[in-house]
Amino acid sequence: MPKDFQPAKFCLGCGHPLVLITLHKVLQEMGLVGKAVLGLDIGCSLLAINYLPFNTFHTHHGRVTPTMVGFKRSNKESISIGYTGDGGAYAIGLQSLLHSALRDEPIMVIVINNAVYGMTGGQKAPTSFIAQKTDEGINEQPPMLGAEIVASVAQSGAYVARGTVTDMGVMKEMLKKAIETQQAGHFSLVEAMAFCPTAWKTVGTETVSYLKNNLLPVFKTGEIKS
Amino acid sequence: MKENKIKILLAGTGGQGVQTLAHVLSHAAFKSNMQVSLVSNYGLEQRGGMSLAYLQISTAVITAPRFSEPDYLFLMSEEARPRIVKYIKKTKHFIETEKYKEILKQNDLGIQSFNVLLLGIVSKLLCDSKLVSEKIIREELKNKLGEKKNWEENLKAFEVGFNKS
Amino acid sequence: MAHKNKFSRAFLTGAEVIVKAAQDVGAEYFFGYPITPASEIAVDWSQATKKNKQLGFLQTEDEIAAGFAINGSVLAGRPAFSATAGPGTVLIQDGLSMAEAMRLPVVVVVAQRGGPSSGTVIYSQQEVNLAIYGGNTEGMRLVYSSSTLEELYQNTQKAFINAWKYRFPAIVLTDGYQSKTRGVLEVPSTSKKLKSQPLVVLGANQHLPNIFTFEEELFVKLQKDVKDFNKMAEAVIGYEEFNTRGAEILIIAHGTVGGVAKEAVQKLLKKKVGLFRPITLNPFPKTALNKLAKKVKKIIVIESSLGQLERLVRANLDENTKVDHYLRPGLGIEVDEIIKLITK
């Protein structure tokens, strides 16, 4: 294992490390590891602390966006990245996310969307699909297309995209573009459709099928605003 | 040296100019090198409602910004009465300014100059008590209202109030 | 070498005093949401940024965001503060909890208004609990309460200086009367300055947690924090004892009421009444109070709340001390009221 990496605390099969490791690769290729600062939501995102070899710190659930707003405004040289899940982004943190996009704050937000609240045991998320089995039962509420909503208030020059961990090649490009957008002084958001076999209660390739069959039809991948 | 201090409570309706009055007096007192304290109280409404100003001018440092025993209590509108009724008994001089509206009419002045008329009256009081310089009050008045419309009328209202015997 | 400071007279409101003190001491960024009676602080600061390009201002989407933006700003090394009141003070606790946990030197001005809930927009001393214990925390915050505009200036500066020196969040308590009162302030020509540095240094590969896997990890960390807090306490505790020599009755009051009580005590000079006025509500001047408490016959706490100061006093006094109170939640207290209370 490369000496840069700490042992993973994520569950086996989790989508988080796929995105995080790719993020690190992108930063390395762009020569920006020394400038990167990763603020973490409190959900499974918190497990990313001390996982990659650049500055990380915890914030509070739903509060990573305003924290990075403050950080970036006070250190313009940094590459300020807020790392959160679907709950932190689209439930408790939605207000701040929308206003930061509206104000075109030059921060980057990565949203790991697995349509479920993993760390607290499998409750429904704003992005849970209809008929999804969660802790509370069968979901009847239509899912929120958070990235599209954020894109609708984002300003010219901002970048909003949705990728999937089942296509990391495209995801990598999106992460790169998002960082470039910050360098150009604008807001960026990359939503990553990701695995959560623990909460989905899937095993092996079932996990991949779950994502492809249930989530990808609802959450369209591609650049939403560029 | 004995402290020379005056406590004035102004109570009126939002929009009457209570705060303008308080502003001119307090700034004039400050520039006259006095110790000054001014606290304003308003209702929740952005328009109307009641408007209060607690003004203290003294030769000594003021430690309590509000007071319940005014030397002078000027009631500028009936709407504000319920708010200050508790102070009336403890006030040395309670002045219901309604009676001054007559003076406005006699001098061909409009109701919008009412607060400046009162400013003239209170200024005379302060100058007589040697708490504020007349010259400085006139300067402050000009600073605050000189560029606004009705300046001529306001100046006249001030003179009428100041020279009222 | 002794430096003779020149002073100039200014006629300022409490809000303006806070903004000036913050600017003079080296604060750089304000994040906040409008709420009466704290809004003037935000407006005043935003005007200041027009003249001084070093300063930053952002009206956030709510007080929760403000509480976290200041955290982010100080992590990056730029001294930041917020100002709020009432329901806003409730919301900003989320960010303050993180600041307490992660030892972030943020400053929050709390302009107390009537509570609970929307209460009044005017005045109270009902946010003492929130100032000290409002988070899911143990109350390791430095809390200042000022009785005069001069003290407000000095304590605002101390809040910034000590927050950065000792790395605890600091609260500057004021209230709707004080923030609106326009009074005379002698402003020094040279100001003290805070010392800041980035807490997150680019390229340093630091990892700052606020959540732990095991109980023991948290326990060990808190032990260290308490040690640091107590060390800071020795250096920062503030209080005033007025006319307490030979006093038989001791009034305890803080902030605006402290100033009113002082004037009352001045008028009651022959009656053996003294005033103990805590200036840091947290850490509380426990030792000084207990020393005094032993010498007096009666203690009476006077405050514009239903016992928030009283509870602090009781918690810090030796067990069997009797404490009386005069509680007027959300109501101003006048000099003659206190005189009547003492002399009846």
Side-chain angles (χ1 to χ4, degrees):
Chain A
M1 185 148 69
K3 67 173 161 70
D4 285 300
F5 301 100
Q6 300 292 322
K9 292 197 176 147
F10 301 102
C11 303
L12 219 52
C14 172
H16 279 279
L18 297 168
V19 178
L20 288 163
I21 291 173
T22 307
L23 173 67
H24 182 225
K25 271 214 183 81
V26 172
L27 287 166
Q28 276 179 315
E29 285 168 15
M30 295 174 83
L32 292 173
V33 177
K35 296 230 157 76
V37 181
L38 192 68
L40 306 171
D41 197 275
I42 303 293
C44 288
S45 305
L46 77 87
L47 298 170
I49 195 155
N50 200 13
Y51 176 64
L52 296 173
F54 52 88
N55 295 315
T56 66
F57 51 78
H58 286 146
T59 65
H60 274 198
H61 185 40
R63 314 302 178 208
V64 73
T65 303
T67 307
M68 300 324 286
V69 165
F71 193 97
K72 177 75 181 187
R73 276 170 175 255
S74 290
N75 188 335
K76 294 196 159 76
E77 234 200 291
S78 64
I79 298 295
S80 289
I81 307 170
Y83 188 79
T84 181
D86 40 56
Y90 303 138
I92 184 172
L94 180 63
Q95 164 128 318
S96 284
L97 195 50
L98 288 177
H99 282 271
S100 299
L102 185 67
R103 292 192 307 257
D104 202 24
E105 301 280 349
I107 60 167
M108 174 177 167
V109 180
I110 299 175
V111 183
I112 305 298
N113 183 3
N114 45 34
V116 75
Y117 283 11
M119 177 144 280
T120 43
Q123 295 81 33
K124 79 174 239 72
T127 48
S128 294
F129 55 89
I130 292 181
Q132 178 173 346
K133 276 209 197 80
T134 67
D135 247 23
E136 296 100 330
I138 310 285
N139 177 44
E140 288 170 17
Q141 185 180 304
M144 177 182 288
L145 300 177
E148 283 80 352
I149 294 171
V150 173
S152 73
V153 298
Q155 306 295 327
S156 165
Y159 178 76
V160 180
R162 180 186 288 115
T164 164
V165 296
T166 48
D167 189 345
M168 288 313 293
V170 170
M171 179 81 80
K172 189 175 176 208
E173 281 311 305
M174 289 176 173
L175 291 171
K176 179 158 189 275
K177 265 200 167 153
I179 293 170
E180 284 165 351
T181 301
Q182 179 168 147
Q183 290 175 306
H186 297 287
F187 174 86
S188 62
L189 182 143
V190 175
E191 186 180 299
M193 302 313 300
F195 305 133
C196 181
T198 305
W200 292 350
K201 299 188 175 36
T202 52
V203 184
T205 55
E206 285 173 5
T207 304
V208 181
S209 309
Y210 188 103
L211 191 151
K212 282 195 168 148
N213 298 338
N214 295 310
L215 297 183
L216 294 187
V218 176
F219 298 96
K220 303 274 181 276
T221 55
E223 293 183 339
I224 302 167
K225 185 176 175 65
S226 57
Chain B
M1 193 176 85
K2 193 174 185 297
E3 181 185 5
N4 184 7
K5 181 177 187 171
I6 197 167
K7 294 182 286 190
I8 300 175
L9 178 56
L10 305 165
T13 303
Q16 267 188 306
V18 176
Q19 304 305 330
T20 302
L21 183 41
H23 177 102
V24 173
L25 291 172
S26 63
H27 278 83
F30 172 68
K31 289 181 182 164
S32 303
N33 254 309
M34 303 302 290
Q35 294 293 328
V36 193
S37 175
L38 172 63
V39 190
S40 306
N41 257 165
Y42 314 98
L44 284 171
E45 311 90 323
Q46 286 301 300
R47 296 259 178 282
M50 55 96 210
S51 180
L52 255 57
Y54 294 79
L55 174 63
Q56 294 182 74
I57 301 170
S58 175
T59 49
V61 170
I62 299 160
T63 48
R66 284 165 76 256
F67 47 83
S68 55
E69 295 174 336
D71 296 313
Y72 291 87
L73 166 51
F74 290 91
L75 179 64
M76 289 166 64
S77 79
E78 274 312 299
E79 201 179 331
R81 187 184 289 268
R83 194 70 176 80
I84 51 88
V85 88
K86 62 184 175 184
Y87 296 124
I88 296 177
K89 257 200 230 117
K90 302 189 249 180
T91 303
K92 285 208 187 90
H93 306 276
F94 174 44
I95 295 135
E96 288 163 296
T97 62
E98 194 64 29
K99 59 188 177 189
Y100 296 136
K101 292 197 175 149
E102 257 309 298
I103 303 179
L104 283 177
K105 283 207 198 90
Q106 288 166 6
N107 286 277
D108 252 334
L109 293 164
I111 191 68
Q112 64 273 13
S113 294
F114 185 50
N115 67 322
V116 188
L117 173 74
L118 290 176
L119 176 64
I121 295 172
V122 182
S123 297
K124 183 69 168 53
L125 196 71
L126 292 174
C127 293
D128 287 347
S129 312
K130 305 222 185 312
L131 285 165
V132 193
S133 129
E134 181 185 333
K135 178 167 177 285
I136 293 178
I137 288 190
R138 287 176 182 283
E139 277 169 11
E140 273 315 299
L141 178 64
K142 186 125 193 273
N143 277 341
K144 187 79 175 150
L145 297 177
E147 308 289 310
K148 305 240 165 94
K149 58 178 179 154
N150 294 328
W151 168 239
E152 298 298 326
E153 195 173 330
N154 278 331
L155 185 55
K156 182 176 177 195
F158 178 81
E159 298 295 354
V160 169
F162 197 81
N163 296 313
K164 184 187 93 65
S165 50
Chain C
M1 184 172 105
H3 178 95
K4 214 137 197 227
N5 222 344
K6 285 226 287 276
F7 286 81
S8 57
R9 284 181 99 229
F11 193 40
L12 303 172
T13 62
E16 289 166 349
V17 167
I18 289 169
V19 168
K20 179 148 184 47
Q23 233 192 304
D24 290 349
V25 83
E28 293 184 29
Y29 226 114
F30 177 91
F31 297 90
Y33 190 79
I35 185 161
T36 317
S39 312
E40 286 82 358
I41 296 170
V43 172
D44 215 53
W45 181 271
S46 90
Q47 307 285 23
T49 63
K50 298 194 174 108
K51 297 191 198 120
N52 182 351
K53 295 299 176 191
Q54 301 279 66
L55 307 179
F57 171 84
L58 176 65
Q59 178 177 306
T60 52
E61 53 275 20
D62 55 32
E63 291 88 343
I64 299 176
F68 285 93
I70 55 177
N71 289 345
S73 181
V74 308
L75 280 166
R78 224 159 149 209
F81 73 114
S82 186
T84 187
T89 311
V90 172
L91 293 179
I92 211 166
Q93 297 301 326
D94 200 2
L96 278 171
S97 301
M98 174 175 157
E100 238 183 279
M102 297 173 75
R103 302 286 298 271
L104 305 179
V106 297
V107 174
V108 176
V109 178
V110 172
Q112 300 170 95
R113 53 184 269 173
S117 175
S118 317
T120 71
V121 298
I122 302 172
Y123 161 87
S124 84
Q125 294 192 312
Q126 295 170 295
E127 295 175 42
V128 172
N129 287 349
L130 281 177
I132 306 173
Y133 296 114
N136 64 325
T137 67
E138 303 288 4
M140 284 191 249
R141 306 171 183 183
L142 179 50
V143 179
Y144 286 101
S145 184
S146 311
S147 296
T148 64
L149 293 182
E150 188 184 344
E151 244 180 32
L152 188 57
Y153 182 89
Q154 290 167 357
N155 288 337
T156 299
Q157 297 207 324
K158 285 181 187 171
F160 280 98
I161 291 170
N162 291 324
W164 279 92
K165 186 169 179 189
Y166 299 101
R167 299 274 304 270
F168 288 101
I171 310 282
V172 176
L173 274 180
T174 178
D175 60 62
Y177 286 157
Q178 190 174 82
S179 71
K180 285 191 166 42
T181 298
R182 191 172 286 281
V184 180
L185 179 71
E186 305 278 343
V187 184
S189 59
T190 318
S191 168
K192 301 195 180 90
K193 296 273 184 221
L194 62 85
K195 283 202 187 71
S196 66
Q197 65 283 329
L199 308 181
V200 173
V201 177
L202 295 188
N205 196 8
Q206 302 155 273
H207 305 278
L208 309 176
N210 61 37
I211 186 168
F212 304 93
T213 311
F214 296 111
E215 303 96 312
E216 287 76 3
E217 289 175 273
L218 176 62
F219 182 75
V220 166
K221 173 196 146 37
L222 286 176
Q223 296 282 79
K224 176 171 194 306
D225 290 343
V226 168
K227 202 154 158 242
D228 291 344
F229 191 81
N230 290 334
K231 192 142 182 277
M232 173 186 76
E234 288 167 17
V236 306
I237 273 179
Y239 59 91
E240 181 188 13
E241 292 181 17
F242 183 71
N243 201 46
T244 52
R245 184 112 72 96
E248 291 181 351
I249 302 175
L250 184 66
I251 296 175
I252 305 180
H254 76 102
T256 290
V257 179
V260 175
K262 187 168 179 179
E263 189 167 316
V265 168
Q266 279 169 329
K267 295 206 157 85
L268 289 167
L269 266 181
K270 305 239 166 64
K271 302 277 167 132
K272 300 197 177 179
V273 188
L275 169 69
F276 181 82
R277 188 171 68 81
I279 296 174
T280 55
L281 294 190
N282 199 55
F284 193 85
K286 176 178 182 162
T287 311
L289 176 60
N290 276 292
K291 234 166 140 186
L292 255 188
K294 289 189 178 53
K295 302 184 194 155
V296 302
K297 297 206 176 106
K298 178 176 157 116
I299 293 176
I300 175 159
V301 176
I302 302 180
E303 57 177 321
S304 298
S305 104
L306 271 174
Q308 296 192 22
L309 175 63
E310 184 185 355
R311 212 170 296 121
L312 264 186
V313 166
R314 285 179 186 277
N316 282 283
L317 270 179
D318 292 340
E319 269 185 35
N320 295 315
T321 319
K322 185 172 185 306
V323 175
D324 286 331
H325 59 216
Y326 182 68
L327 310 177
R328 312 283 279 161
L331 221 50
I333 299 175
E334 315 291 353
V335 174
D336 63 322
E337 217 176 324
I338 296 182
I339 291 175
K340 227 178 253 152
L341 176 72
I342 300 293
T343 55
K344 74 162 187 263

